[in-house]
Amino acid sequence: MLLAQLSVDRIMDADNQLTELLSKYPDNPYLFLAKALERFAAADTRTALEYLDRSQEAANDRAVSFVIRGEIQLRLFQFEKALASFEDALQRDDKNVRALLGKAHASYRLGDYSNAEQIYQVLYGSLSSFSADQQAEIQNGLAMTALERGDSAKSVEIWNQMKKSNSE
């Protein structure tokens, strides 16, 4: 219900429900995660990061809060911090696709194109097992790293493949 409210921009409703739930369950790390997402959707990144801290204090062994922190940091152009968050997530769950994608994105933005391309290549090996959005992220990442290597033909080939897949 909360995620549905956030997806249709009913942030105030989500905020009210989360505040009520947190008053009943003040130590629930998943409520802190939800509150972090709600605060991020409301463009309150400082508070979102504070709720992520609380989630990590309550359940430091889970990758999800590190992934969300990394995603927020990417959007804030804090690429070094984002990379560290995704690496923390991968220490807890080395197969977490969002953490792998985030690490590739952060590496790319930091100019480490080789590392980014390596991660995208590994993910590309099992492309069909991912959602359409994740497939597009992986393919676009490969196209962008090929472009950085000066291989524009490979980039165009990948983008044409994406276009063909989207039209089917």
Side-chain angles (χ1 to χ4, degrees):
M1 174 96 158
L2 291 168
L3 292 178
Q5 290 171 335
L6 289 174
S7 70
V8 293
D9 229 8
R10 291 177 48 200
I11 295 170
M12 198 60 142
D13 292 336
D15 181 47
N16 291 337
Q17 285 189 334
L18 283 167
T19 300
E20 181 181 332
L21 286 169
L22 279 167
S23 70
K24 292 178 183 177
Y25 309 101
D27 297 323
N28 187 314
Y30 296 104
L31 290 176
F32 293 137
L33 286 175
K35 187 69 173 176
L37 289 171
E38 178 272 325
R39 289 290 77 207
F40 184 67
D44 183 0
T45 55
R46 182 187 55 77
T47 305
L49 292 170
E50 288 172 7
Y51 276 104
L52 285 170
D53 288 342
R54 292 176 71 184
S55 174
Q56 288 169 339
E57 288 168 11
N60 196 33
D61 61 330
R62 301 218 166 72
V64 65
S65 61
F66 293 95
V67 171
I68 294 170
R69 176 181 295 282
E71 294 285 349
I72 290 171
Q73 290 164 328
L74 276 178
R75 283 158 184 78
L76 295 174
F77 300 96
Q78 297 174 351
F79 304 122
E80 290 170 351
K81 289 181 179 180
L83 181 61
S85 291
F86 292 125
E87 287 173 344
D88 285 343
L90 289 167
Q91 287 178 359
R92 287 153 179 82
D93 178 2
D94 64 350
K95 292 179 181 25
N96 186 299
V97 174
R98 288 299 331 154
L100 287 166
L101 276 169
K103 182 176 179 179
H105 296 334
S107 295
Y108 179 87
R109 296 303 296 262
L110 289 167
D112 188 355
Y113 307 120
S114 176
N115 189 45
E117 185 172 35
Q118 182 181 1
I119 296 167
Y120 292 131
Q121 284 287 359
V122 167
L123 293 170
Y124 189 79
S126 53
L127 192 66
S128 63
S129 66
F130 300 118
S131 71
D133 289 344
Q134 290 171 329
Q135 289 178 20
E137 276 186 79
I138 295 164
Q139 289 173 301
N140 195 56
L142 279 174
M144 294 301 292
T145 55
L147 202 57
E148 288 296 336
R149 280 190 289 103
D151 191 350
S152 57
K154 183 67 175 173
S155 296
V156 170
E157 176 188 326
I158 293 168
W159 285 322
N160 283 336
Q161 179 187 11
M162 291 172 68
K163 183 179 175 183
K164 182 181 174 188
S165 295
N166 286 338
S167 65
E168 293 176 348

